[in-house]
Amino acid sequence: MSTTYVEDVAPGSGALPPRAQYPGSDAATLSLNGSWRFRLSPTADAEDTSFAARGYDAEAWEKIAVPGHWVLQGHGSPIYTNHLYPFPVDPPRVPTENPTGDHLRTFDLPQQWPAAGDTVLRFDGVESCARVWLNGVELGEFKGSRLPHEFAVGALLRPARNVLAVRVHQWSSGSYLEDQDQWWLPGIFRDVTLLHRPEGAAGDFFVHAGYDHRTGEGTLRVDSTVPGRVTVPGLGLDLATGASVTVPVEAWTAETPVLYEAELATGGERIPLRIGFRTVLVEDGVIKVNGRRILFRGVNRHEFHPETGRTVDRETMRADVLLMKQHNINAVRTSHYPPHPAFLELCDEFGLWVIDECDLETHGFVEQEWRDNPVDDERWTPALLDRAARMVERDKNHPSVVIWSLGNECGVGRGLTAMAGWIRDRDPDRLIHYEGDPSCADTDMYSRMYASHAEVDTIGRHADQDGPRERRRLPFILCEYGHAMGNGPGGLTEYQQLFEAYSRNQGGFIWEWIDHGLAHPTLGYAYGGDFGEELHDGNFVCDGLLFPDRTPSPGLIEYKKVIEPVRIEGSGRAGTVRVTNQYDFTDLSHLDFAWSYQVDGETAGEGLLDVPALLPGEHAELKLPAPPVDRADAESQWTVRALLADGTRHEVAWGQLPDLAAPPVPVAAGCRPHRGEQRISLGPASFDARTGELRAIGRIGIEQLRLDVWRAPTDNDDGAAWQTDIRYGTLWRKYGLDRMRHRLDAVELTDTGLTVRTRVGPAARDLGLVTAYRWTADDSRLRLTVSVAPEGDWQVPLPRLGIRFAVPGAADAVSWFGGGPGEAYPDTRAASRIGRWSASVTDLQTPYVRPQENGARADVRWAEVGGLRVAGDPQFWFTARRWTTEHLDAADHLTDLVPDGRLWVNLDHAQQGIGSQSCGPGVLPQHQLLAAPAEFSFTFSEPTAPGVR
């Protein structure tokens, strides 16, 4: 039995030419989704093709859901690699061990199925190579997993007991073109549909709908291979296909997604259209839509669901789009393949700029310095052109698609040039993107991944000297940045400042939208290696702004704040607020502005602020009302929020303006220490008489209070070596910061308090932190002042600097006055809002798929936890969890974290920033925690102690 087609570099045979996708046609359709019979074989030729014949008995086969992946339905296992091919690189050959799934579906035609005309069988996505039969007749085979393929089948159909047989191979020559940093998930994972084609049915068609921003007019022309008429009731239009008309219209943008309902009617079919008028071009080195510079506040989006893989239903897609819009995201790059067509319909409807990316990546060839790379081998060019055509023809009528992308991480080559040439000829009204060619020979923009802030600044100033002069005249985007792996990404605020500072810098796309953790019966969510893969890239597949269950991560909350389209800033003491419109097209008439006044974190008054309908780029200085209360003894501030005026009160943007600073925390002093045989007492506290260790504050037991510098390294701490040789997580372990030892030097009592002197340092190193704990107290409060002085040549920043202790028991309620409600770190704190917050200890944890440092709250004035109230001088970082940092560090999955019966509390004077070095730049200098002399204080009391603010 011949299987040569599996390794043939050609895209396939038998399929119809690609065409526009048109949902909603009045022609009959029949979904073939559902339960199919399934048989898995270990090789491409283990079974013959007799299963495709009518009458074949497959009752003994198992059942499988289509769309779906067989490895997520009990047949084999998923494999995750970032860019390494999980098979020998010997193009176009693939291993003999090639899991092959035979699929069978028997179906009847509906009684009303028309007899006249033809019928097309459509596959919207099959990984990676499929061979198809209908009623025993072979239709052909195809590759291009994330692309549609259609076959003419009208002559083969019967009223009943039609047998559709599909053989799907996990590996094929096409796999070399689909190395896209994701799970390898074979199967028929998108819809399978029968489409009736009546006599006189529409063929291919192309909606051209440009917009002239100077006149406010749109020009419409619909080209069609089958003549017909186009009606647009909202514009009073009725014109022949191929004819052009210019009329006043409202433009389509991502902010104002105006769609005109229309219809294309041919002799045998009516197709609903949704037309958006817009023009995209590069002018004066800037990407403009409808005459205005746009700024991409974007994300990269793989299609993913934790239970069904790349099979994603429309409601989930809709929820994703709404989440994007609710978090101020205005653009999507469809990494790294065209999405399900329903996703683009939603982008049209709700308004998102789309970079539609071809189903093409050959990243694994970088391991051999791009030798034998298919994109520079003319034998593969027909396959590349087929992929480009299937993307463009399917998606060309979506106004949301403003840029075509040739693919991702393919190096350079003649095939990419051929693709760009074909796309320009077919669709000259959109732009072309490709990141991997620094010459930008085939693109309309300069695109980079993970460029540092300094590089982005240089590029914005047109001062980049490492490429051709022509490139410096192109607009610049970061098609990937802010790698959202684990805790982070950090440094987004500084990137956004660079996007707003230079017109050439037109924003970027966070990598990426969602963690690809697969649901697992014992591990919670699984990542690379959890299915026994011999080659994998671990949790690098979990790098999204959403957790696998689609809960927003702190990274998404931070990104929403950083990219908010309204800037609110000013001086509470001066009684003014400055509101700036940072939309590209929209005035502020759709927003209400609400103010509130907080005293010690509690709202003391609120109202509405009258803000004019500012045009894009405009700002206004507005007077705040008089403070509703006069409290000179308390901290106060204003909060101004921009809310949708549609009744939802959805918050678009916010700003906080300090009014009065907090008065200093009163010093707890006056009590003298008393030494007994076993204990030293000082005010409400007791200490070990020999070691000076704190044992209790009032009724609350305290364990292991000491200086702490260690955190469970984040994915960004552990870093990626391709940008820098510095991996802080590795260095911290090398220097022994995960195994610090504490030497007691002295326990000193005076008339005013207790001082414990120590030296904290790692084994095998001459580094140390000379630390003094100075305790004073009054009758109800205990004050600790910690002084730290580094010794030795510290060549690495500290992870954190503060104290850690444990409180026995299962106390759960936590409240605090400071930053919240979610976690924050020095370079991820834009979304941290000052207020009074409360949460359970469980809710303080951030459930990163791979456990790591998480849950810190910033700018904390005081916190109540474990029966204690702690006030800081200065403000501090607060963390509480039911396990130690060491246990957190050792865990591979959340299920490994088991409470130990104590509450572990960190009170940090400072934290190292987060950065984005899991795949990008590290922590900026201003957010690094260098070893330097420091002093900080905490005051402990019971929450109900009198006189405590």
Side-chain angles (χ1 to χ4, degrees):
M1 179 179 61
S2 174
T3 58
T4 56
Y5 63 91
V6 174
E7 297 180 333
D8 191 339
V9 298
S13 63
L16 296 169
R19 60 161 178 86
Q21 183 249 356
Y22 36 86
S25 163
D26 67 349
T29 64
L30 177 64
S31 172
L32 298 181
N33 296 345
S35 179
W36 292 46
R37 292 290 180 175
F38 177 78
R39 174 181 68 186
L40 183 64
S41 303
T43 67
D45 58 357
E47 300 285 351
D48 62 26
T49 61
S50 60
F51 79 101
R54 282 172 60 87
Y56 182 87
D57 184 3
E59 286 301 311
W61 291 16
E62 296 190 52
K63 293 183 179 180
I64 196 171
V66 172
H69 305 280
W70 69 67
V71 293
L72 299 184
Q73 300 184 65
H75 304 278
S77 298
I79 300 170
Y80 168 62
T81 61
N82 168 27
H83 75 279
L84 299 174
Y85 290 107
F87 47 80
V89 181
D90 182 24
R93 306 297 301 277
V94 295
T96 299
E97 298 168 293
N98 188 359
T100 295
D102 290 334
H103 300 68
L104 275 178
R105 174 77 153 88
T106 300
F107 64 94
D108 299 336
L109 291 178
Q111 288 186 353
Q112 66 274 24
W113 193 265
D118 202 351
T119 297
V120 166
L121 172 65
R122 180 182 179 93
F123 296 89
D124 278 304
V126 183
E127 182 177 329
S128 74
C129 173
R131 188 178 178 187
V132 186
W133 296 262
L134 181 62
N135 290 329
V137 177
E138 184 171 353
L139 304 178
E141 79 283 339
F142 62 88
K143 308 178 189 79
S145 298
R146 269 68 70 175
L147 296 161
H149 295 83
E150 294 181 331
F151 298 90
V153 297
L156 301 176
L157 286 173
R158 303 185 182 188
R161 304 296 297 168
N162 292 281
V163 177
L164 176 58
V166 186
R167 172 163 285 175
V168 181
H169 307 283
Q170 177 158 9
W171 310 121
S172 70
S173 62
S175 301
Y176 285 100
L177 306 180
E178 297 173 2
D179 187 23
Q180 292 144 324
D181 185 10
Q182 59 182 334
W183 294 99
W184 299 87
L185 298 173
I188 306 172
F189 67 92
R190 286 185 185 163
D191 305 293
V192 183
T193 313
L194 275 183
L195 308 170
H196 181 245
R197 309 309 300 134
E199 295 179 2
D204 190 25
F205 65 93
F206 197 162
V207 176
H208 302 273
Y211 180 75
D212 187 333
H213 65 281
R214 294 158 298 191
T215 65
E217 293 178 319
T219 299
L220 175 65
R221 187 185 79 248
V222 179
D223 295 331
S224 176
T225 57
V226 175
R229 298 199 68 80
V230 176
T231 54
V232 189
L235 297 175
L237 296 180
D238 184 342
L239 66 156
T241 55
S244 179
V245 63
T246 299
V247 293
V249 298
E250 294 184 60
W252 188 97
T253 74
E255 295 170 8
T256 57
V258 177
L259 293 172
Y260 289 92
E261 302 293 334
E263 185 179 78
L264 167 64
T266 64
E269 186 175 18
R270 294 180 177 272
I271 298 170
L273 308 178
R274 306 184 83 185
I275 298 174
F277 290 87
R278 55 109 187 96
T279 295
V280 56
L281 50 77
V282 172
E283 184 177 67
D284 300 324
V286 172
I287 299 171
K288 294 182 178 180
V289 176
N290 302 337
R292 298 189 64 89
R293 173 187 182 262
I294 62 172
L295 185 61
F296 294 114
R297 300 171 169 93
V299 292
N300 287 274
R301 175 190 177 268
H302 267 300
E303 291 187 309
F304 183 76
H305 189 283
E307 296 176 347
T308 56
R310 278 189 292 281
T311 299
V312 183
D313 62 275
R314 187 184 180 97
E315 285 309 305
T316 299
M317 296 181 214
R318 188 177 190 275
D320 279 354
V321 169
L322 290 176
L323 267 178
M324 291 175 187
K325 296 292 290 186
Q326 290 163 1
H327 289 85
N328 294 329
I329 290 165
N330 72 356
V332 172
R333 175 176 174 234
T334 68
S335 53
H336 296 294
Y337 42 82
H340 191 288
F343 180 76
L344 296 180
E345 295 169 22
L346 293 164
C347 293
D348 294 342
E349 178 181 351
F350 292 103
L352 289 167
W353 308 119
V354 174
I355 297 181
D356 199 354
E357 192 148 86
C358 195
D359 190 10
L360 177 61
E361 180 170 338
T362 63
H363 197 175
F365 285 91
V366 72
E367 295 295 319
Q368 54 199 58
E369 298 180 341
W370 299 106
R371 186 177 64 255
D372 299 326
N373 185 7
V375 304
D376 200 29
D377 183 338
E378 62 185 11
R379 295 175 300 168
W380 293 79
T381 299
L384 305 186
L385 290 173
D386 180 74
R387 289 170 183 250
R390 291 188 182 279
M391 170 182 70
V392 171
E393 300 295 11
R394 190 197 74 171
D395 296 343
K396 59 182 178 283
N397 295 320
H398 290 284
S400 57
V401 177
V402 292
I403 298 171
W404 302 116
S405 180
L406 302 179
N408 183 65
E409 292 178 317
C410 295
V412 296
R414 293 164 286 176
L416 294 171
T417 300
M419 293 170 67
W422 185 91
I423 292 173
R424 288 191 201 282
D425 286 343
R426 180 60 173 144
D427 183 18
D429 296 329
R430 287 184 175 94
L431 306 181
I432 292 180
H433 166 271
Y434 179 67
E435 180 272 337
D437 183 0
S439 75
C440 298
D442 299 317
T443 71
D444 296 305
M445 63 205 68
Y446 179 27
S447 177
R448 287 281 301 280
M449 294 181 181
Y450 308 108
S452 69
H453 299 81
E455 289 178 280
V456 174
D457 180 75
T458 299
I459 293 167
R461 292 184 285 106
H462 299 270
D464 45 315
Q465 302 293 327
D466 61 338
R469 182 181 300 274
E470 294 77 12
R471 194 185 73 190
R472 294 198 288 277
R473 292 195 287 266
L474 295 177
F476 174 72
I477 65 169
L478 279 170
C479 67
E480 295 180 20
Y481 84 111
H483 196 253
M485 184 178 179
N487 188 335
L492 297 183
T493 295
E494 291 82 1
Y495 272 121
Q496 195 68 18
Q497 291 167 349
L498 293 168
F499 298 156
E500 295 172 6
Y502 303 110
S503 61
R504 185 189 187 193
N505 291 347
Q506 295 197 245
F509 298 78
I510 296 293
W511 186 269
E512 65 154 306
W513 178 236
I514 187 170
D515 284 345
H516 297 193
L518 286 170
H520 191 280
T522 61
L523 299 177
Y525 291 111
Y527 49 78
D530 287 335
F531 296 97
E533 306 101 303
E534 63 180 7
L535 183 71
H536 65 84
D537 285 294
N539 70 311
F540 202 69
V541 75
C542 294
D543 46 14
L545 294 171
L546 297 182
F547 295 121
D549 65 357
R550 284 182 157 75
T551 301
S553 76
L556 180 57
I557 306 304
E558 176 81 356
Y559 191 44
K560 175 185 178 179
K561 174 60 179 169
V562 167
I563 62 176
E564 60 189 11
V566 180
R567 180 73 51 80
I568 300 170
E569 53 200 350
S571 169
R573 289 299 296 151
T576 59
V577 60
R578 181 186 179 101
V579 176
T580 304
N581 181 354
Q582 299 194 129
Y583 284 102
D584 294 327
F585 298 92
T586 310
D587 67 25
L588 300 188
S589 59
H590 67 296
L591 298 175
D592 288 334
F593 288 80
W595 65 264
S596 59
Y597 189 75
Q598 290 82 40
V599 177
D600 278 348
E602 294 186 330
T603 297
E606 55 190 355
L608 295 178
L609 193 64
D610 187 13
V611 177
L614 301 170
L615 296 175
E618 290 185 342
H619 69 270
E621 299 280 352
L622 304 167
K623 191 71 176 172
L624 292 165
V629 295
D630 184 9
R631 285 282 305 278
D633 63 337
E635 179 178 358
S636 58
Q637 65 186 1
W638 299 87
T639 300
V640 178
R641 305 162 63 215
L643 310 171
L644 289 182
D646 60 1
T648 65
R649 304 276 295 172
H650 172 74
E651 183 179 273
V652 173
W654 60 272
Q656 287 192 310
L657 318 175
D659 186 19
L660 293 177
V665 178
V667 174
C671 285
R672 298 182 62 179
H674 299 279
R675 183 192 291 270
E677 281 192 24
Q678 303 294 327
R679 291 285 186 268
I680 296 170
S681 61
L682 177 63
S686 64
F687 299 81
D688 185 281
R690 183 180 64 86
T691 65
E693 288 188 55
L694 178 66
R695 295 304 188 196
I697 302 174
R699 298 163 296 174
I700 307 301
I702 304 293
E703 299 180 13
Q704 302 180 41
L705 187 149
R706 58 180 53 186
L707 188 78
D708 190 24
V709 300
W710 180 240
R711 74 184 187 195
T714 68
D715 292 313
N716 286 300
D717 289 336
D718 285 336
W722 64 273
Q723 282 221 343
T724 174
D725 291 333
I726 300 174
R727 297 189 186 196
Y728 287 124
T730 301
L731 280 176
W732 291 338
R733 295 184 197 279
K734 176 182 176 181
Y735 280 88
L737 302 190
D738 59 333
R739 46 184 173 80
M740 301 290 275
R741 297 294 178 259
H742 299 252
R743 185 186 74 206
L744 176 64
D745 287 342
V747 178
E748 303 169 351
L749 272 70
T750 68
D751 288 345
T752 58
L754 166 68
T755 298
V756 180
R757 302 188 186 278
T758 70
R759 186 182 187 277
V760 182
R765 295 284 174 180
D766 62 353
L767 303 175
L769 298 170
V770 176
T771 306
Y773 307 87
R774 295 181 177 87
W775 300 94
T776 61
D778 58 23
D779 290 338
S780 61
R781 297 177 304 152
L782 177 71
R783 181 180 176 90
L784 167 64
T785 298
V786 182
S787 299
V788 180
E791 286 187 338
D793 185 16
W794 286 83
Q795 296 292 314
V796 62
L798 299 174
R800 70 184 338 135
L801 180 64
I803 61 169
R804 183 182 81 171
F805 61 90
V807 178
D812 192 53
V814 178
S815 60
W816 71 100
F817 174 27
E823 74 178 23
Y825 290 83
D827 53 353
T828 65
R829 66 194 301 173
S832 181
R833 192 179 322 209
I834 302 303
R836 288 205 189 192
W837 310 102
S838 61
S840 68
V841 173
T842 298
D843 289 340
L844 288 179
Q845 315 310 306
T846 304
Y848 296 114
V849 174
R850 185 192 74 80
Q852 56 198 271
E853 167 63 33
N854 73 90
R857 267 58 180 180
D859 304 311
V860 176
R861 282 73 164 156
W862 56 257
E864 294 182 356
V865 56
L868 290 174
R869 182 181 179 107
V870 186
D873 183 13
Q875 297 161 8
F876 60 99
W877 305 82
F878 166 72
T879 310
R881 53 177 68 103
R882 298 197 181 283
W883 36 78
T884 65
T885 300
E886 291 73 21
H887 289 144
L888 183 64
D889 188 15
D892 291 322
H893 295 86
L894 292 172
T895 51
D896 297 330
L897 294 172
V898 179
D900 67 2
R902 292 170 287 187
L903 183 62
W904 291 90
V905 179
N906 275 89
L907 309 176
D908 290 315
H909 173 62
Q911 283 262 4
Q912 166 82 350
I914 297 297
S916 185
Q917 200 178 331
S918 55
C919 189
V923 179
L924 288 167
Q926 63 266 36
H927 301 306
Q928 293 182 4
L929 176 55
L930 303 181
E935 184 171 285
F936 47 94
S937 298
F938 301 103
T939 299
F940 301 87
S941 62
E942 293 188 36
T944 57
V948 176
R949 290 192 304 108

